[in-house]
Amino acid sequence: MLDEGTPGRGGYTDGFILPVPEGKKDAYRDMAQKAAAVFQEYGATRVVEAWGDDVPDGKVTDYKRAVKAQDGENVVYSWIEWPSKQARDDGWAKVMADPRMQPTEEHKSVFDGQRMFWGGFQPIVDTAKG
């Protein structure tokens, strides 16, 4: 759905999973493209937003259950690559202070941020780095 930047240059990765109504895919993509530009402005090397295409129901847990997806919602899997954890910490502080990233009623109509989850990850295997 969206892949901005150069793959394999990240030394630290933020990952996100969230539910989005199927009818809001284009609105989500537009919002994500604007946000990606801000993240890259503050140091992110790559931003990827991926629309669920093959997300099976599990027997114990799965992506849909993790975000309490409702009928008519799909799962978005996203990640942001940064040069380092320090660059990420510095970048996030700037992103959160940027007026362009403040939640609006439009954001709330596109996805439910209370059912989104995220975390920061230090790579332990990265085939792009050899």
Side-chain angles (χ1 to χ4, degrees):
M1 181 163 66
L2 173 68
D3 187 348
E4 299 286 335
T6 305
R9 292 181 36 211
Y12 197 81
T13 302
D14 283 314
F16 307 84
I17 308 291
L18 63 146
V20 176
E22 292 182 11
K24 300 281 185 168
K25 180 180 180 181
D26 291 337
Y28 182 83
R29 181 184 11 236
D30 292 344
M31 188 176 59
Q33 285 176 317
K34 291 173 187 171
V38 175
F39 279 105
Q40 288 183 299
E41 181 179 326
Y42 294 126
T45 56
R46 184 179 183 202
V47 177
V48 177
E49 301 273 356
W51 187 258
D53 179 58
D54 184 12
V55 184
D57 294 332
K59 292 182 180 179
V60 177
T61 191
D62 56 46
Y63 283 104
K64 295 173 195 168
R65 286 184 202 161
V67 295
K68 297 182 179 178
Q70 301 166 2
D71 287 343
E73 289 183 328
N74 199 357
V75 177
V76 172
Y77 177 70
S78 308
W79 68 92
I80 303 170
E81 294 178 5
W82 302 90
S84 66
K85 186 172 191 302
Q86 186 62 55
R88 176 263 207 167
D89 291 347
D90 295 345
W92 265 107
K94 293 172 184 172
V95 166
M96 293 288 90
D98 192 303
R100 296 172 291 177
M101 296 300 287
Q102 301 309 306
T104 65
E105 288 305 313
E106 179 187 7
H107 293 115
K108 294 175 186 174
S109 75
V110 174
F111 72 94
D112 180 357
Q114 293 184 335
R115 292 185 288 142
M116 176 173 83
F117 64 95
W118 60 90
F121 299 87
Q122 188 71 47
I124 59 172
V125 174
D126 185 345
T127 60
K129 293 185 178 192

